Structures are given as structure tokens and as C-alpha cells.
Amino acid sequence: MIIRKYLEKDYASVAAICKKTAKKGYQTNVACWLFLDYYLESEPEHAFVAEVDGKVIGYGVCSLNDKLYFKEMKEKWIPKIASYAIYLGLFSRLSLWFNLYITKTYQCSFHMNISKDYQGKGIGKKLLDAMILHIRQYQKNFLYCITENKETMGYGFYRHYGFRLVKSFMGAKVLVYKIN
């Protein structure tokens, strides 16, 4: 298993993982619009993949440019989501403003997924290790993610890794990791 930088040719594999691991109702392009496409189009230099025998089995993406993230989410991705389903667009707007509030203190948002067949095998830890090493180069102090609730597998993984719970929003949990 290797962790490497994301390449454009990885998009189909990464998008498939994003859709398959999304919660019910989001297993369409909406999952990619919410959790993936901004990062890969606008900040691909901060994207990584996990690969086994030439097959992409996981990915991690992060934003180190919060101003660009909020501008593009507001102007491009949320309208796209709203055109698919108005209620998802409204929820996404609320979520974006919450992210704006969180980013003022905790700097770097990220999203990570591992194919279900490969979860629980230490791949997420290696992927997150690589992302944190990369982010340290930019003198960022914190990395954060938002999980749906405490019952998700991700919540337990992040807490075990050393993330701490700092906020809740509509049931979702904001987890923060101190980098430096």
C-alpha cells in the first residue's frame, strides 16, 4: 500500500469511493459536489490517495485557502447542489456558514474516505499522517473535520487519532487536531 499525491487520472476512482461511502440520499454527484470537487479542482496540491496494487482505495483532501473555499462553495458548488435538491442547497448554505465560523479558529478543513473493504486496516491513519506532514509545511496549526454524529466510524477513528471535539451543529460534530 502506498500513499501518494492525487493525479487527475484518479478522479473516477476517488469519486466512486466518495459516492459509495456517502450516507443514503447523497450517493450521487451531490456527494462529490459537497465533499470532493472543490478540493480537486481548486486545491489539488493538497489531495492524496491510498493505492494498493495500482487500485485507488482511499483519498484525503484539504483546503488551506479558506477564502477561496468559501467563495467557490458559495458561488459554484452550493447553487449546483440546490439545483439538484433545494433542501440540500439550504442545508449546504447553513453548513458553509458554520464552516466559516470554525475556520476562523481552526484553519484547515479536510475530508477523507477509505473504500469499505479496506476500512479498519490502518490505511486511514497512514493517509492522515501524510496529509498532516504535508500541512505542516504551510505552518498551519489546526486541521478540522465535521462528522455526522458520534455513532459514525469516522468519529471513533478521529478521536482515537487524537482529534478533540470542539463544537456541535445540528447533530454534527466538529473535531480538531493540533498540528504544531
Side-chain angles (χ1 to χ4, degrees), residues 21 25 35 37 44 66 76 103 109-110 114 118 143 162 165:
T21 57
F35 305 118
D37 290 348
D66 58 321
K76 181 177 181 179
T103 302
S109 65
F110 84 101
I114 307 296
Y118 292 90
L143 179 67
L165 176 64

Side-chain angles (χ1 to χ4, degrees), residues 119-139:
Q119 291 177 359
K121 298 180 180 188
I123 295 164
K125 181 188 180 311
K126 290 177 182 170
L127 191 54
L128 193 50
D129 288 345
M131 289 175 62
I132 289 170
L133 189 63
H134 171 76
I135 293 166
R136 276 194 179 118
Q137 299 172 34
Y138 296 88
Q139 277 88 54

Side-chain angles (χ1 to χ4, degrees), residues 49-71:
V49 297
E51 181 180 273
V52 170
D53 298 327
K55 179 183 176 186
V56 173
I57 57 158
Y59 66 88
V61 293
C62 65
S63 172
L64 302 185
N65 185 340
D66 58 321
K67 288 178 180 47
L68 181 62
Y69 174 82
F70 291 107
K71 180 182 184 301

Side-chain angles (χ1 to χ4, degrees), residues 107-160:
Q107 302 168 329
C108 305
S109 65
F110 84 101
H111 177 72
M112 188 171 90
N113 261 326
I114 307 296
S115 292
K116 290 185 189 235
D117 294 345
Y118 292 90
Q119 291 177 359
K121 298 180 180 188
I123 295 164
K125 181 188 180 311
K126 290 177 182 170
L127 191 54
L128 193 50
D129 288 345
M131 289 175 62
I132 289 170
L133 189 63
H134 171 76
I135 293 166
R136 276 194 179 118
Q137 299 172 34
Y138 296 88
Q139 277 88 54
K140 300 293 184 179
N141 295 315
F142 298 99
L143 179 67
Y144 81 90
C145 67
I146 301 174
T147 63
E148 187 179 344
N149 59 54
K150 286 184 175 181
E151 284 72 46
T152 63
M153 191 169 162
Y155 181 86
F157 166 79
Y158 296 123
R159 294 288 289 155
H160 182 74

